Amino acid sequence: MTRLPSRRLCRPLLAARVVFSALAAGAAVVGCSRSAPDTRGTISAPAPRLTEGEVLDLDIEFYKQRADRDPTGATDLARLAGLYLRRSRETGDPSDALRAEFAARRSVRNRDSRNDAAAQVLSASLLAQHRFDEALSIARSLRDRNPDVPSLRAAVGEIQMELGQYDSARVIFDGLAGFAHDLSIAPRLARWAEIEGRTGEARWLMRTALKTAQATPHLPREQVAWFWLRNGDLDLRSGKFSEADSEYRAGLAVHPGDYRLLAAQAKLAATRHEWQAAIAAGEEAIATSLDPATLGVLSDAYAAVGDSAESREYARALDVAVLKQPGAYHRAWSLFLLDHRRHVGTVYRKVLVELQTRRDIYGYDLLAWALHAQGRDAEAKEAMTRALAQGTRDAQLFHHAAAIEHSLGNEAAANALFAQARALEPGFAASRSEGQ
């Protein structure tokens, strides 16, 4: 049996479980800090304030019990599905995405008409599981039933982006240009702008969205933190490391312990070769979610500080995590394995299977990198041309393209591409063998 790394990797998730009877009786829970009179007219001690996570757990239990009491209903199941999906985003637990799918499907089966809320959650839960074709079919049906709802058009465009259906996505997003302040649309517009190489526009859209999120009452802190994360990621990919660091820290101030932000901090620290900082942030992140990309960062960080035993343990832990969720984690796992020349043939075969339906630029980037790892650089160059076809400015893409050109002996092209990679992420190319 594979031994997981010792440093907090196996620490159990400490989720508070609060007595459910207060909600079942209809008592207010959110922010309950007021003293309440008891039956004798005296004032009881203040009730402890619950965290958002604790309230979310209570809400899930509340609607789960309601749905169990009324198995033929639809509304409670739709609400339960949405809560499961939110908890999946917050904790990184893929099983909650499956629970969301199951509850949403039950809701739709119970009432197919006038139940768009359940259908939206169903599509989103499938998207979270990277089941893109199924998600797209449902999203299109929703859009066709509600042609005047811009957010439903944007949802279709998002899935088309993931599938590499860029011409169709372009038509949708060109028609949504006036929705920069809509929180359900602006992040998708920003991602589209980034894919097309319009990084400055993408950053403006995400900064506008962040301001809107901060001004939106009652928006969960987890969601506000996500907008900080997206802004930080854009700055990281643009080589603006100080700005990215500030944004990740701001997100953690809003939502302390957010594993996504901690994982981003680990990646940023590794990019800067600040290995101990990468280890600290990465280990805190995986205490909540065994994200393979973070496990890969930790493996590289420990190797950089000379702890080869711990580096190997994290590499093995990555394999364990991937076996549990191969679909959602496939690409992070694949990149790590290809970078380290492990299981190259297996990765190559998986990439070919995925490209049968998901023909986006990062799928072709993986194909090119797998071909390069096998020494098939002429074929790799063809795949890399498709990966760069949208004009996306990503250091990873430029680095891979440069390494392939170098192997083909095209030094002028390789040097120009390496320069673009370094401009976006100083030290990115230097952190890997340029001739690999």
Side-chain angles (χ1 to χ4, degrees), residues 107-130:
S107 178
V108 171
R109 279 198 301 268
N110 288 346
R111 190 179 73 219
D112 184 44
S113 63
R114 292 182 295 175
N115 195 12
D116 287 349
Q120 287 183 62
V121 175
L122 178 55
S123 179
S125 68
L126 292 167
L127 182 60
Q129 298 172 62
H130 289 198

Side-chain angles (χ1 to χ4, degrees), residues 48-130:
R49 182 179 295 274
L50 302 180
T51 68
E52 281 189 357
E54 290 167 345
V55 172
L56 181 56
D57 287 344
L58 283 171
D59 286 345
I60 285 172
E61 185 62 26
F62 175 66
Y63 282 106
K64 183 177 181 296
Q65 291 198 17
R66 283 175 59 111
D68 288 345
R69 289 195 298 268
D70 182 17
T72 62
T75 301
D76 288 335
L77 280 167
R79 290 172 177 166
L80 178 62
L83 292 168
Y84 276 136
L85 190 59
R86 177 182 159 193
R87 191 168 71 181
S88 176
R89 290 194 303 264
E90 186 161 339
T91 65
D93 184 354
S95 62
D96 271 333
L98 289 169
R99 294 186 184 102
E101 178 195 351
F102 180 70
R105 286 193 188 279
R106 284 180 58 197
S107 178
V108 171
R109 279 198 301 268
N110 288 346
R111 190 179 73 219
D112 184 44
S113 63
R114 292 182 295 175
N115 195 12
D116 287 349
Q120 287 183 62
V121 175
L122 178 55
S123 179
S125 68
L126 292 167
L127 182 60
Q129 298 172 62
H130 289 198

